[in-house]
Every structure is written in C-alpha cells, then in structure tokens.
Amino acid sequence: MKKILLALVPALFMMACTKDLETLNVDPKKPLSVTSASLFTRAQHNFVDIITSANVNRNVFRLIEQQWQETTYIDESQYDFQTREIPDNFWDIFYRDVLNNFEASRKTMAVDITDPAQLKNQIAILDIMEVYSWHYMVTTFGNVPYTEALNTGNAFPKYDDALTVYRALLTRLDLDIAALTVGQPSLGAADAIYAGDPAQWRKFANSLKLKMAITIADADNALSRTAAESAIASGVFTANTDNAKFPYVSATPNTNPVWVDLVQSGRKDFVAASTITDIMNTLNDPRRPLFFTLDPTGNYSGGTPGRSSAYSNFSHPAVLITTAPFPGNILDYAEVQFLLAEARERGYNAGALTASAYYTAAVTASILDWGGTAADAATYLTQGSVNYLTASGTYKEKIGTQKWLAFYNRGVDAWVDQRRLDFPVLPEAEDALSGFPNRLTYPVKEQNVNNVNRSAAAAAIGGDVVETKLFFDKN
Amino acid sequence: MKKLILSLVMFLCLAGTAYSQNRTITGTVTGKEDGMPLPGVTIKVVGAPGGAVTSTDGKFSITVPSGGTALIISYLGYISQTVRIDASNTINVSLASDSKALSEVVVTALGIQRNRNQVAYAAQTLDGTAVSENRSPNLGSSLSGKVSGLEIRQNNTLGGSTNVVIRGVKSMTQNNQALFVIDGVPVANNNMNTNDQQTGIGGYDYGNPASDINPDDVESITVLKGAAASALYGSRGSNGVILVTTKKGKSGLNITVNTGLTLGVIDKSTFPKYQKKYGGGYGPYYGTDESNYLVDNVDINGDGIPDLVAPLTEDASYGQKFDPNLLVYQWDAFDPTSPNFGKATPWVAAANDPTTFFEKPLSNNQSIVISNSYDKGSFKLGYNRDDQNGILPNSNIQKNVVNFGSTYKITDRLTAGADVNYSIVKGRGRYGTGYNGETAYNPASNFRQWWQTNVDIKELEAAYLRGKDRSAANPAFIGKENITWNPADYSVGSAPIFWDNPYFSRYENFETDSRERVIGNVNMNYKVTDWLNLMGRYSLDTYHQIQEERMAIGSLNVPMYSKYYQDYTESNIDFLATFNKQLSTDLNLSGLLGVNIRKQRTQSTYAITNGGLGINGIYSLNNSVNAIEGPIEVDAKREVQGIFAGATLAYKNTYTLDATIRRDASSTLPKGNNSYYYPSVSAGFVFSELLKEEKDWLSYGKLRANYAQVGSDAPIYITQNTYNIATPFDGRAQASISSTRGLIEAILANPNLKPEQSRSKEIGVEASFFGSRLGLDATYYSTKTVDQILPVKVSTATGYDAMYQNAGSVVNKGIELSLNGSPVKTSNFEWKVNVNWTRNRNEVTELFKDDAGNEATNLSIASFQGGITVNATLDQPYGTIRGKDFVYLNGQKVIGANGRYLQSETSNEVIGNMNAKWTGGINNSFRYKDFNLSFLIDVRKGGSVFSLDQYYGLATGMYEETAGLNELGNESRLPISQGGGILNEGVYADGTPNTTRVPNDEFGSYGYRRLPDKAFVYDAGYIKLREVIIGYSLPKTFIQKLGPVKGVDLSLIGRNLWIIHKNLPNADPEDGISFGNVQGYQVGSYPSVRNYTVNLKVRF
C-alpha cells in the first residue's frame, strides 16, 4: 500500500506538469499577425476620426476657431487644454493609433502583397496618408519627433525641426505621386475613401501637395512655389466628385464621431459662436441653414466666445452634420480652388484662371457641397461683400474669410489657415487663460518621459507655450 | 537509521510487556473559570498508549495499566494537568484556560506549526474572534488596526473592495495584495473592476473575492509579513501572506449559533453641507439680455408673456438668491404627474437636501457552526448567511456560505481529510463609482459636484413613483418614468441633459451579479515514523461569476444591457514531506521538502448591446438596436511548477537557524528565463532562556534576523506582440496594434523578460515581561525590489504608450511595533491593551534608462479627470500625486493682477503623496464579571488625497463656503461693485499683499476653474473609533438551568462610529476609488456608514 502510494506521487506530478511551459503563454484570443489591409483600414479610420471628432478631450479646434462655443463648461473655449489633457490625446492618437498602424500595415504589405505593382500602389497610398498625418502634427505642435519616431528601439526620440520635416514630407509626396500607377491593382475596398483608385489618389496627393506648399508660402517661398506649381501641373481636384469623403455608416461604432459627441451623448454642450453667425449674417450666407439651426427668435445667433451661453438661446450645429452617417471630409475641391486663388495672388504659375475665378469656384463648390444650389451661390457671389473683386481687404482677408467659412466643421484645417492668413480676425475669448493658441503645448507625458528632447524642442521653437507661433505662421 | 529502527522495535516490545494488570478510573473534567463540564478533553496515562476523551457532560472512563502512575489531562486552550493516580478510582479535574498556550504555537508557511522559539521572522497571530466578534462580513476590513505592518484601505461602497497591503507597495505596476491562504489553499483575490472603475471614470466596484470567507469559520489568522516568512510560497508570497486557519472539529459536539441585526446610518461629517441661500444656475447669464439668474424669455403658461423659469439645464447652484415671494417655474412645473404641473412655485431652498437620499438600511447575519470529533476523526459544518442592504435605494448583497470539513483516520498513521467551502454571493444595485460612468450612475458624484440646492430629493422620489404608476396604468408612458430635475429643455417630458432622476437610476438602471465559488481540498497524511510525515493535497479554488449591467430606455445615456461571464480556476497539487527529529537532547532538526504545481485559468466573455435597446424593459443581448459587436473574450493561463526545501536547526530551544529555498518555473516568462530561486535564511536567539533563572521580570525574549530573496513572474501574455481585432467597418476587416475598445493603449511586448526580484532584510525583537503582563514585538525591515517588470511609459512618438521592461526599483523601509499589556488583572476585572504601529517609507530609486543614458523620471501609474496623475517618480515615494501647483514667492502664494492665483506652467508638479506617514491601532478591552467592553481606535497619520468632489463641488457653488461673507462682512455673491467678491490670500509678484477682489456672483472663483490642482489636495489622515463591542454573557449559574445550552452571549457592536479627527472636508479620508496600487484620489465618494449591530450567540 505504502509503496504504491509513494510510487503514485511522482507519477501524478509527471502527469500534472506541462512540459513546455512557454507554450501556455500564447494568447488564443488575439492574432500574432493580421492582414495589411485590415491595419490600413483601421489607421485610415482613426485618421478621419480624429480630424472629424468634436470630442472636448481631443479635437477642440471648432471652439478655438469660434465656429462653435461651449454652453456651460467653457473651459476649452477659454483655452484650458490642460484639464482634459488635449495635447496628450491629440499627439497619442496620431502617433499611436494612426501612424503606428500605418507603419504596421506597411511592414505587413511587404509580406502579404506579392504583386510588386500592387505593392507599389498600396505603399504610395499609405505613404500619402502618413504624410497628411505628419502635416497635422507639425502644424499643431511645431517640432516633433520624426526621424527617430515610430522606432521601438529608441524610447527617447529627439525632435526634428518642423520646416525640415515639412520639406521631407513634400519629397515623400513626390515619390508617392510618381509611384502611383493607374491600371495596376491596388488596395480596393480596404481604402474607404477611393477604393484604392490610383488616379484618384494621384489627384489627392497633388491637392495635398498644393495645400502643403501653400502652407509654407511664408516660410520657404521658393519651395512653396516649385511644389505648388508642380502639383498643379500634375493635376489636382477638378470637381466636388473628387472630394475625399469618408463614408461613415449609421450603426455604431462606425458612425461619424460628431453624432456620438452631440446626439448619442444626449449632451447640449455646443451652440454656434457669435463670430461665425455674425459674419454669415452680415454676408447673408446661404449656408446658414446648412450649418446651423434657428435660434428661438428665428434667427441665426451664437454665444460670445469664452462666455457661458444658454443652449436654448442660440443656434445649434445643424441636424445634417450631426447625423450618424454624415461623411467625414479630409480634403475637397473647394479648398483646392482657394489654394489656387492664393497661389495666383502670390504670383505662382497656377493655371489659366484668375484669383477671382478660383475664389468664385471655391465658394460655389463649398455651397454646392454643403447642399446649397448653384443659384444660391450665384446670388451670394453677386454681393459686394462677397464678390472677390468688390469685397474689402487684402487677398488674405478675402480668401481667409471665405476659406474659414468653407472649413466649417473642419476645425483643424480652419485653424491652420486662419493662423497663417490672419483672417478672419477672431475676437479674444472672454476670460481666457492665455493668449490666442497658436499651437498646442507638448504633452505632459513628454515632460515626464522624454524631457531632455522636449526641452530642446521647446527652446528651438521659442517656448513650450500656446502663444508660440509656428514655422509657417510668420505674421 | 538501522539503530534507530532497532531501538524503536525494542521500545515497542518493552511497551507491550510493561503493563499487564489493568484498572478503570472515571471522573469529570470541568473548566476552572465557569465550572462547566468540558467535553472532548483528552485523557492519557503517562507512558502508556491509548487514551480516552470526555463525553459531552465532561465525564470520562479510562483503563489504566497497573504500572500507571499519572494521568495527563489536556485540552486545546487549557493548561494541561498531570494528576497522580492514587488509590481512588475517581479523579475529578478542573482545567484552567490558557490564553498563552495558543500563542506558543505559531502557524508558519504551508501551515506548519512551529514552537514560538523557533520562529525567526515577524509573524503576528490573531484569534478568530478578531474578525468574527465585530460581525463585519468582510474579513479583510476587520483586520484594520489590529496588525502592525498591514495597511487596510476600504471604500464605502456596499460590498466594495478592500485593499490589503503588507509593508508597502513593492511592485510599481503589478499586484501588491497580500496572499490569502485558507488551510493551505491559496485564494484568489483578483481585481474584478474595470480600468475605468480604477481610474475614477466610472463603473461598479464588484469587490474582491477575499470576502468570500466566513468570518465565523476562522479559528485564527497569522500574518506572515516579510519575505523570509513567506519565501516558501514562492512568487506568490512576495507581498506577505495572511494565513487563515479555519475551525476544526473539537472533541465533543459543539453547536454555535449567531444571529445579528445591523442598522446602518450615514456619518454626516463625511457628506457635504449645502448652502441654503442661492438656487440653481451658473451665474447671471440667462434670459433676454443674458444678465439674469433666472430665465425670463420663455412663455410657459401660454399667456403670451414670458415667465420666470429656473435654469433647469444647469447642474450648479450659482443661481438666483432664494426668496419665498419669488414665484418661479421649476422642474416639477413640467412634470404632468406633479401637483405643481404648470405652476410657478416659491424660490426656496429644498427641504430635503441630498443627505436624505441615503437610507438607513437594516441588514442581518445568521450563522451556525456544528463540530464534533471522535477517536477516528472529526467533522465540522458551518453555514453563514449575510443579507446586507446598502444606504442607496435598491442595493443589496446576499452571501451564503456553507463549509464542511472532515478528517478520518484510516489507520493510526494514515489520515484522510477534506474541506470544502461553497459560497454564493449575489449583488443587486451595487453603487456606481467614479466621475460619470456611461453605465454606472454614481449619485455621490451628482450630489457632491453637480446639483441645484432648490431641488428636493423627496419630491424627485415622488415624481419617479408617480411616473411609474402612470406607465403602469397607460402603456403609452412606459419608459417615461425618468422625470428629472435636469431636463434638456422647457418641454413636458423632455429628455435629461446631464442627470437622470436619481431614483430612476437606482431602480431602473441597476446591475445584478452573482459569484458562485468553491474553495476546497482533499488531503492525505501519512505518518511514516513519529518524526516523518508525508502529505499530499489537491486543492481547488474556482468561481463562476456573472455581471449584468443595464441602462433603461428613457435614460440620459444610451440604453444598454451588458453581460459579463467569468470563470476562474486555480488548482494546486502539493506534496510535502516534513520531519522533526530530536538529534540529541539539545539539538532539534526539522525540515521539509515539497513540490507544488499551480495552474490558473481565467476565461471571460463580455458582450454589450449596440446603439440602444429595442423593446423597453427587456434586458437581453438580442434586444440590441444594431447588431452587437463581437464579444470581448479572455482566456488567460498560467502554470507555475515549484520545488522547495527547508530546514530548521534548533539548539537548546534557544538558538535557531532556519533556511529555505524554492525554485519556481513559470509559464509567463520566456524560455531560458523562466525559472528562478527564492532563498531565505533566518536566525533566532531566545535570550530569555539564558536569563530565565536570574531575571524574573523577563518572561520571554527573542532576537531574530533574516534575509530573503523572492520574486515575481510576469503578467500573462506579455512576451509576444498581438493585434487587436476591431469591429468591421461596413464589411471591411479592421485590426490595430492599439486596443480599439475600452483601454486605448498600446504596450510593446518583450520576449526577453526575466523575473522581478525582491530582496529583504529584517531584524526584530520579541519580549514579554512580568509574567507576560506586558508584551512587545518590534521589527525593522528593508525591502528592495529590482528588475521590476514594468510597462515603462515611453514617448508615444515610438508608436506605443509603454514597453514592457525589467526596469526600476523601489525600496521600502519600515518599523513595526506591537505592544500588548494587561494593566489590571483580577478574577473579576481585567483590562487589556493592544497597540499596533507601523511606519513605512518607500522610494522609487530607479526607473527606465536606455544605453545612451537617457532616463525617464516618471512613470505615471494612473491619470485621472482633472489632469491629476498618480506616479512613480524617480527619487520620490511611490505614489506621488502630480498636477498644477500654485506659484510661490517666499512661501506665499502669488496672485496675478486680476486677483486670481497664478498657476505653475506644467501640470506635473508633485502636489501630494498617497502614503501615510504612519498607521496605528489601539484596542482596549475590559472585562468585569460577565460584561466586557472593547473599543478599537484606528489612526492614520498623513498622506494626501486629491478630491475631485471638492474640485468641482466648490466650483458649482453647492457648499456653504461658497456662499459666505467676504472679508468686508458682505455677501460674497454680491457683485464686486456692491461690496461682494472674494479676496484670495496671497501676494502679488512684487511681494505686496493682494488687494484685488475677484467676483463670486457666478461660478469659477472657487473650485477648479481658477485654482490649481494643489488647492484640492488634502491631508488624508484620520483618527477613527473603528469598533466598539459591549458584551454580556449569561452567568453560568443561570446557564446551568438551560439544559443543553453552554453559553449565551449578547453583544452590541458599533463599527465606524466616529471619525474623531480628519482634515478632509465633507468626506471620509479613507475612502478611495478602488482596489490596487492607485490610491490618493477621491471622486463621487460615498459617506461612511455607522453600523450598529445587536448579536446573540448561543453555544450548545
């Protein structure tokens, strides 16, 4: 009995032990590899989400740009970005959720796309999306980690000079444009914007190149000119049908984030800002009902920037833009026409039309894209205050104001151009915590984990405060 | 060995022949103190085998061989007696109880009992009554203040979790909870809460499963504090071990019945006091010209003239001054079920402020324990039912625990035993926690941060009930019971804007959960020789739990239903050989050799409806408006294979040398790095043995010193990178490196991890004086934990939030002190005092550094609403609270030209430290004849807490201090032009005192908007009267008339009766958000509850 028992013991243990312990440490619920297409789709989705979002923790640029105004909790309207760690969130989403997934997709494509021509097209499209992401990073923060970024071997990446990064991005775009080959296979459905169409992506890349070129018009005029001219020559957007729209759907979680923030949440945090309703009222803008609801008096009115505003007293964002499947818009024909108008004014070789004609086309395209009619646009443009030839001010004021209106619901883009063109002039937010935010400060996390590099960057750009003007913002 | 066996044979032969003629002796054994018969007492003849046991009436009968000279009468807890056998065949004995006897034996790691002299490390033992007589259902929280070195933190939610940490936080990001071991079975004490819950965002606190233990079943608790004491447990013992020994069947049938009733009442000092001067609103910006406190441009009654309306959409109290003559349309004017429907009512402070939301719940607790033992074995059967109601409406937790244990002697040498503990815990309406969870409403965050002082709680209750009646009568109104004070607009039946009616939330949006659990083991003991024992054991801890959360149609948030299933199993196979051999008269060697295989598996599935619910009142996943997203599944496995050995050499019962070693191999570490050793060595010197004759004031004295190295393996599945699958986007597959749902984080795996290591040293002294009337136990320890397995936070520019690394070290140093004394001890009156004191200091001495010398200076452990982080900061104590600070000039706060405080440029200034300076407890107990009284005072000195409740609550103007008089004696809420406003204390940048008053006629001057985070960091210290117990035992003369009854005890128990001192206004400084490493932050804190219990205990 005893012997049997004693013999049993080691036998039992042998049976109970797992031989190769580490084989247990493989998560059966998560894949070790996925397709490059699924990573691309997610990264593109994340990119459009952050640009489109109205979440007060991430994207508060509609408030900075005084398109909207907060009702009761007016912290962000008064430039309090620290309480909700907005710089951290914006930064993290771009590096981690957008760029890192694009990079993972790029690495996987090299493996799972075996047709070299298809791979070339796909890498080009992916790289265009990355370039666009970097454009937002440098125009938001200034110097950021670029050459040493997205490298897990370096936990302390140094920051690169923003203008240098910008030049490198333009070079990348050139290579991408050259690489795109019409007639060869591409991403297909994984690309929710153009279904991988190389021709559309080439137009997009040229339009983006034009946008980026004009962005540095005051910072590196020579490069701005050559890049803009080559983009125009190569072919930019020619109609609203070219617009880069992201097809959100009605079912969560793939809805337009604005619907989540404004409708699904049940909150009533935003009303129109008086800045935009005042301008639109003055101009008799036909987009008012497309942008806003009527206030209780039957007019369009907005809350004073930086001041608490009763929700029931003012116009609200229009129902259309708060619907779940309302498409995201990352680049459009109207914007391109404004860019052409500005290129013309700056003396670039910008095609056949005059600045006025481009401006007219831009305003018309915007009105049509928002759902207005050609007649609306024509009537609008006949007004002396709108018509390019009669409206007051410099080209910067005329283009700046109308572009800012066209950039309604695209706060980040409005912010870049309004800082650069200095129009429209935005009134100071009441009781603001700082001067007008010309950038976001570096994330708090960078102070904790990468402070030597952050401090060097802060010194290089002229101080890690929101008032510091960035490289492209010369006036 | 041969010789040994030979001499053994000789001895047995002699024993067989020495005794030949027998006689029978009978008698009764009684207790000296009460004269009651003692059943189950062992009677043995000195030098002879066999023996007898007293029956229930204390009587025994024993056959004594002719050579027998004396009987040994022994009983657990009593002083054994040796009685000479003389001519008489009757021997009656009365045994004196011996409280000391129990403390002479110490239960050590793996349940091995050791003579106190041979224990060379800190181990503190508590009698089971320490956790049972206060009738608290939570064993963990009952330990507060009773053991040095042990820090207990509990929050005030019903059934919420209790944080049990021994000797400070050692591992920066991994588990630091003490390991609970019940009769050798390690018991999971996992965190059940979501990351959102733990960072104050929102969610339910589901408690931790260490509370599934029946306190009435506890015989004793031993706390093994240092690594040397717990090294035999391997990686699991690195945080200290709480050994729970359950009751065993004692000789004779014993039945104990407890029945208790508890009344809970909130402690108002832990809840805000509301100002009664001003009503709802954020300031004067409503109405036609945006200058009014009341809305004046809406026509409510349809007479064409605008009416005065309260700003219903606002959740603050910076509104119109109260005036009973002012008639205002308030929220109930829009409630068609209200008598005030369509009426303007006087603008006055609510008669019932939110304090009245809390109920005074009655809870009850019943338990019965039956035990018996006989010559072949023993058994015990226990049952405990605990039915707790919370202070929130519709909250209840029911706990039923059955435990059964039995041993059986198959042969004289072979014993089989089994224990099983089955529990089922059902929760309904647990409290929501955090700021504003999407799914879990926290009324405390509503009442402490966002409230209108004109809103009457009782009227909200009535409105909810009327709405319910209306929907019962007419299906058209189903789902419209949410008649709230905070509607989105001035229409009848408007949806809420920020807050549901709190009664609707409690009664419609409640959670339910259940956890069924079996903890048990089967074991066999084989006594090979009298010095060698073999034990084999299989033990199991397994539970199955379901959590269901609901959000009804009509709620502010998206209606939803979610279901979470979790199965957890841990099995342990142990084989243990122990020996104890007297090598010579002076030298004793004992030791052990063992193997352990531990297997853990957690499987869970979480699914939630998508986009809302289709049909009202149906909480089912298929009632989802959109197709549900794929459920989130977890299947996590771990296996640890351990072998261990230990030896203790004792010389003259005075000098002890003890050494142990364990080797573990864990599945969570990469091959090649997955095995590791834990050595420990301890030395003890009982100096009182040498001084015994000379110093009669010294009863006992021991010095001890030890060193140990323990470690931890890695979290499961962090050695390989995996992808997250996201819900497809319109037919397109989506995958991501960063998580797409819940926690948005990307952490880089590390295939080269090695175990983290903790090295600790300890020295201590244990002494008692004057016949053990005064006792002292003091320990100094130092622990350094290195190579920690950290998700090192890195620049997100890497594409990741964090990377797993072996990096960083934390040093904990501390002093533990226990004193116990009996200043007065007479036969009728006794006074005993117990003091425990602990001081722990820790410091983060190293974080992550790369080869180039770049160094991270901070690891954020959690970041919270308000921009607050809790951190491991280099060269700082673990748990610094960081945020924005004031700007100082010569120690004075600097004020800008606008009269407002300047704030630090960065928001990572160290503004607090979550660690206490020291903690302590004093328990006094008095016994006078049949009465006893004891009270426990629990003290925590220092440490800080950030209060989000103050941060927002002061801003929204609900508290009294926001509506007081200013330095001129004027109402501060008047415009500055009329002498109002407040004057911040501080100086201008040039050092001159501030003279610029700031307005207080709208929100902003108090609270978060214009003050740095530092303004809301408070001292978290407290002095609490934790427990008071008044007991009365029926006199024995009376009991004797009650037949089978052996004792009746009646007690009145108070828990958390009085916070004698605290520095945190409006809240309980002990309350935290959750369980785990992150402390020092409060949001939506619940008031503490005073519990008054009447308990009757009858022993048969």
Side-chain angles (χ1 to χ4, degrees), chain A residues 317-393:
Chain A
V319 174
L320 177 71
I321 66 170
T322 64
T323 54
F326 187 73
N329 179 3
I330 59 170
L331 192 67
D332 65 17
Y333 170 63
E335 180 182 357
V336 168
Q337 294 300 302
F338 280 121
L339 291 166
L340 290 170
E342 185 175 347
R344 246 293 168 249
E345 289 287 4
R346 287 182 182 271
Y348 298 177
N349 182 5
L353 301 183
T354 61
S356 168
Y358 284 130
Y359 169 94
T360 302
V363 173
T364 308
S366 171
I367 291 170
L368 290 174
D369 190 47
W370 272 100
T373 64
D376 288 342
T379 313
Y380 184 55
L381 282 159
T382 56
Q383 297 182 106
S385 53
V386 178
N387 190 286
Y388 196 73
L389 302 173
T390 51
S392 62

Side-chain angles (χ1 to χ4, degrees), chain B residues 377-396:
Chain B
S378 67
F379 90 96
K380 65 118 192 266
L381 177 64
Y383 169 67
N384 182 304
R385 178 186 170 81
D386 192 73
D387 195 339
Q388 284 186 79
N389 292 307
I391 53 173
L392 295 186
N394 194 28
S395 58
N396 172 268

Side-chain angles (χ1 to χ4, degrees), chain A residues 1-2 5-6 9 12-13 15-22 24-35 37-39 41-43 45-46 58 71-75 78 82-85 91-92 95-97 100-101 104 108 145 148-157 189-192 246-254 264-269 304 307-314 431-433 444-450 452-453 464-465, chain B residues 282 285-287 290 297 314-315 414 436 450 488-490 496-498 526 528 534 556 558 573-575 595-597 599 610-611 626 629 633-635 637-639 641 665-669 671 674 716-730 732-738 740 744-746 748 793-801 803 848 850 854-858 863 865-867 869 882 884 900 905-908 951 1003 1008-1010:
Chain A
M1 175 71 181
K2 189 172 26 171
L5 271 178
L6 285 176
V9 169
L12 276 170
F13 273 94
M15 270 159 36
C17 278
T18 304
K19 242 188 177 173
D20 296 311
L21 272 178
E22 68 282 353
L24 291 176
N25 208 30
V26 180
D27 192 337
K29 300 294 180 185
K30 285 186 172 177
L32 292 168
S33 62
V34 292
T35 63
S38 62
L39 288 162
T41 304
R42 186 69 213 171
H45 197 162
N46 287 339
R58 290 171 205 161
T71 51
T72 301
Y73 312 104
I74 49 178
D75 309 293
Q78 294 178 342
Q82 290 302 328
T83 300
R84 295 182 180 278
E85 297 185 323
W91 172 286
D92 288 355
Y95 275 115
R96 179 192 59 202
D97 303 336
N100 202 35
N101 282 323
T108 315
E148 294 186 359
L150 306 172
N151 172 6
T152 53
N154 183 358
F156 301 93
D191 162 26
F246 188 80
Y248 285 113
V249 297
S250 300
T252 48
N254 292 313
Q264 191 188 36
S265 72
R267 298 182 63 105
K268 311 226 161 163
D269 287 330
T304 308
R307 190 197 290 176
S308 297
S309 308
Y311 183 81
S312 53
N313 284 359
F314 300 104
D431 227 2
L433 290 191
V444 175
K445 189 178 170 195
E446 288 289 298
Q447 295 175 24
N448 290 327
V449 300
N450 194 21
V452 172
N453 291 317
D464 189 11
V465 291
Chain B
Y282 274 99
Y285 34 70
Y286 309 100
E290 299 225 304
N297 57 354
E314 308 290 49
D315 48 1
L414 187 65
N436 186 15
W450 314 100
D489 56 49
Y490 301 108
I497 180 160
F498 303 123
Y526 185 67
V528 182
L534 302 179
L556 167 70
V558 181
I573 300 173
D574 295 286
F575 178 75
V595 284
N596 165 259
I597 300 170
K599 293 183 177 185
N610 184 9
N626 297 321
E629 292 185 65
E633 288 180 281
V634 171
D635 184 354
K637 286 177 279 213
R638 182 200 304 267
E639 179 172 328
Q641 300 165 355
S666 168
S667 67
T668 66
L669 286 164
K671 194 173 192 168
N674 68 352
I716 297 170
Y717 303 147
I718 64 162
T719 56
Q720 289 186 96
N721 285 306
T722 54
Y723 291 94
N724 292 286
I725 302 165
T727 301
F729 168 45
D730 207 15
R732 301 170 182 93
Q734 294 196 106
S736 170
I737 291 175
S738 46
T740 52
I744 301 180
E745 249 190 12
L748 189 72
K793 292 275 162 76
V794 293
S795 169
T796 324
T798 58
Y800 291 85
D801 295 280
M803 300 176 176
F848 174 62
D850 76 355
N854 287 304
E855 192 169 21
T857 54
N858 191 64
S863 56
Q865 174 100 15
T869 51
R882 311 210 331 172
K884 283 209 167 196
R900 305 210 186 260
E905 208 162 271
T906 63
S907 54
N908 65 349
Y951 180 88
F1003 94 124
Y1008 75 102
R1009 295 192 63 219
R1010 296 292 176 179

Side-chain angles (χ1 to χ4, degrees), chain A residues 184-459:
Chain A
Q184 291 296 334
S186 179
L187 274 160
D191 162 26
I193 296 176
Y194 294 128
D197 182 349
Q200 279 296 346
W201 276 106
R202 185 182 286 159
K203 279 195 206 173
F204 180 94
N206 278 317
S207 304
L208 175 59
K209 186 175 160 190
L210 173 61
K211 173 176 181 158
M212 291 176 65
I214 296 295
T215 303
I216 52 166
D218 296 333
D220 183 345
N221 193 258
L223 177 62
S224 169
R225 174 189 287 265
T226 50
E229 288 177 353
S230 72
I232 296 162
S234 176
V236 294
F237 288 165
T238 53
N240 270 337
T241 49
D242 289 332
N243 293 352
K245 296 283 181 85
F246 188 80
Y248 285 113
V249 297
S250 300
T252 48
N254 292 313
T255 62
N256 190 310
V258 175
W259 174 81
V260 176
D261 300 328
L262 268 63
V263 179
Q264 191 188 36
S265 72
R267 298 182 63 105
K268 311 226 161 163
D269 287 330
F270 306 106
V271 292
S274 59
T275 313
I276 193 166
T277 52
D278 289 352
I279 291 175
M280 292 182 93
N281 285 336
T282 308
L283 299 179
N284 253 326
D285 199 301
R287 287 167 292 190
R288 280 177 296 174
L290 308 167
F291 288 4
F292 298 109
T293 64
L294 290 168
D295 72 11
T297 62
N299 297 303
Y300 295 99
S301 66
T304 308
R307 190 197 290 176
S308 297
S309 308
Y311 183 81
S312 53
N313 284 359
F314 300 104
S315 297
H316 310 142
V319 174
L320 177 71
I321 66 170
T322 64
T323 54
F326 187 73
N329 179 3
I330 59 170
L331 192 67
D332 65 17
Y333 170 63
E335 180 182 357
V336 168
Q337 294 300 302
F338 280 121
L339 291 166
L340 290 170
E342 185 175 347
R344 246 293 168 249
E345 289 287 4
R346 287 182 182 271
Y348 298 177
N349 182 5
L353 301 183
T354 61
S356 168
Y358 284 130
Y359 169 94
T360 302
V363 173
T364 308
S366 171
I367 291 170
L368 290 174
D369 190 47
W370 272 100
T373 64
D376 288 342
T379 313
Y380 184 55
L381 282 159
T382 56
Q383 297 182 106
S385 53
V386 178
N387 190 286
Y388 196 73
L389 302 173
T390 51
S392 62
T394 60
Y395 78 87
K396 286 189 176 184
E397 179 170 0
K398 288 185 280 192
I399 294 173
T401 303
Q402 278 301 328
K403 200 173 182 185
W404 177 80
L405 287 171
F407 275 149
Y408 175 69
N409 206 33
R410 286 176 62 190
V412 197
D413 288 310
W415 186 45
V416 175
D417 273 340
Q418 183 263 324
R419 279 178 289 165
R420 187 175 62 83
L421 295 170
D422 306 303
F423 287 101
V425 176
L426 301 177
E428 204 176 304
E430 279 192 13
D431 227 2
L433 290 191
S434 67
F436 184 79
N438 289 313
R439 63 183 287 270
L440 292 183
T441 52
Y442 291 125
V444 175
K445 189 178 170 195
E446 288 289 298
Q447 295 175 24
N448 290 327
V449 300
N450 194 21
N451 200 33
V452 172
N453 291 317
R454 183 208 66 98
S455 302

Side-chain angles (χ1 to χ4, degrees), chain A residues 14-149:
Chain A
M14 299 282 278
M15 270 159 36
C17 278
T18 304
K19 242 188 177 173
D20 296 311
L21 272 178
E22 68 282 353
T23 59
L24 291 176
N25 208 30
V26 180
D27 192 337
K29 300 294 180 185
K30 285 186 172 177
L32 292 168
S33 62
V34 292
T35 63
S36 58
S38 62
L39 288 162
F40 178 89
T41 304
R42 186 69 213 171
Q44 188 183 54
H45 197 162
N46 287 339
F47 173 87
V48 184
D49 280 355
I50 179 64
I51 296 301
T52 310
S53 168
N55 188 310
V56 288
N57 298 300
R58 290 171 205 161
N59 184 338
V60 295
F61 304 104
R62 291 176 184 83
L63 302 171
I64 296 177
E65 284 302 298
Q66 300 179 4
Q67 300 178 341
W68 293 359
Q69 162 61 25
E70 285 162 308
T71 51
T72 301
Y73 312 104
I74 49 178
D75 309 293
E76 292 74 30
S77 302
Q78 294 178 342
Y79 317 143
D80 175 2
F81 307 130
Q82 290 302 328
T83 300
R84 295 182 180 278
E85 297 185 323
I86 292 155
D88 288 71
N89 295 330
F90 195 79
W91 172 286
D92 288 355
I93 287 168
F94 269 105
Y95 275 115
R96 179 192 59 202
D97 303 336
V98 177
L99 286 164
N100 202 35
N101 282 323
F102 275 131
E103 279 299 289
S105 180
R106 183 197 291 268
K107 282 182 200 127
T108 315
M109 271 179 200
V111 179
D112 71 359
I113 304 301
T114 47
D115 175 352
Q118 183 181 356
L119 180 64
K120 206 169 144 198
N121 268 340
Q122 292 197 183
I123 295 282
I125 294 167
L126 180 143
D127 200 60
I128 294 163
M129 288 302 303
E130 283 194 10
V131 167
Y132 206 0
S133 308
W134 287 111
H135 158 79
Y136 286 115
M137 287 304 283
V138 292
T139 53
T140 302
F141 293 100
N143 294 7
V144 293
Y146 175 73
T147 51
E148 294 186 359

